[in-house]
Amino acid sequence: MSINSQKINVNSNKLTQVILTSIHCSSLFTSSVFAADISFEIEGVNAQPSKIYAQLFNSQDSYSKGEAFSATYLQAKQGINKVIFTNIPVGQYAIRFFQDENNNGTLDTNLFGMPSEGYGFSNNAKPNYGPVGYQDAAFTVTEQQDPVINQTHIIY
């Protein structure tokens, strides 16, 4: 075997690896992974010029740590406000939000630690002598739902 034929074999092996890697990657992108949109409707928002910040959590652990799977905000308007999370995989989720009435980017609280601005949770979960737990606000995204609609009423 000459030196030139060894180079050809080495290059041929690299070419084969590149082709196999490309085929594997393309199969990952073409495989169907179900994703749904979540439409979250918040009722009873006041006319205060403000923003509504909403966070979507995909586990008890991320909810407890405040590490959202996705987050967004919108300009608040009086009445019903709709937050949409797109391309959400099948699974269990919970949403929490607050209306930033003084536009400082945080949920303000009073001397006792109670929120002094509007807030709420998916499933219209309400606090009961403590914060709302993940399971109270949790709902499931399945392959049969398109889109998932969850409604709640803001708490002032």
Side-chain angles (χ1 to χ4, degrees):
M1 181 180 306
S2 71
I3 293 176
N4 285 340
S5 66
Q6 287 177 346
K7 285 183 179 178
I8 290 172
N9 282 339
V10 169
N11 287 337
S12 174
N13 287 338
K14 286 184 180 180
L15 180 61
T16 302
Q17 288 175 343
V18 169
I19 291 171
L20 290 175
T21 300
S22 297
I23 291 171
H24 177 70
C25 287
S26 67
S27 68
L28 289 176
F29 291 116
T30 58
S31 64
S32 65
V33 175
F34 180 80
D37 293 342
I38 297 172
S39 178
F40 183 56
E41 297 174 357
I42 304 166
E43 297 178 13
V45 175
N46 68 25
Q48 183 84 15
S50 59
K51 292 179 183 155
I52 294 177
Y53 290 88
Q55 296 176 305
L56 177 70
F57 297 93
N58 62 354
S59 70
Q60 171 71 51
D61 189 48
S62 66
Y63 185 81
S64 299
K65 293 178 181 175
E67 298 172 352
F69 175 76
S70 182
T72 188
Y73 70 92
L74 64 128
Q75 199 65 41
K77 62 179 184 180
Q78 185 174 13
I80 297 174
N81 289 254
K82 189 181 290 186
V83 178
I84 298 175
F85 294 97
T86 59
N87 296 320
I88 304 301
V90 170
Q92 187 179 54
Y93 297 92
I95 297 172
R96 66 182 177 195
F97 70 93
F98 73 96
Q99 182 181 8
D100 187 12
E101 297 176 33
N102 59 6
N103 292 308
N104 67 356
T106 60
L107 173 61
D108 294 334
T109 57
N110 63 20
L111 291 173
F112 304 105
M114 299 294 297
S116 57
E117 298 176 301
Y119 67 101
F121 304 88
S122 49
N123 294 342
N124 207 19
K126 302 279 191 257
N128 187 15
Y129 301 106
V132 169
Y134 176 79
Q135 289 303 323
D136 294 331
F139 58 95
T140 303
V141 174
T142 66
E143 291 183 11
Q144 285 79 35
Q145 295 171 308
D146 189 31
V148 176
I149 298 174
N150 196 293
Q151 298 173 321
T152 194
H153 199 278
I154 193 165
I155 303 166
Y156 287 106

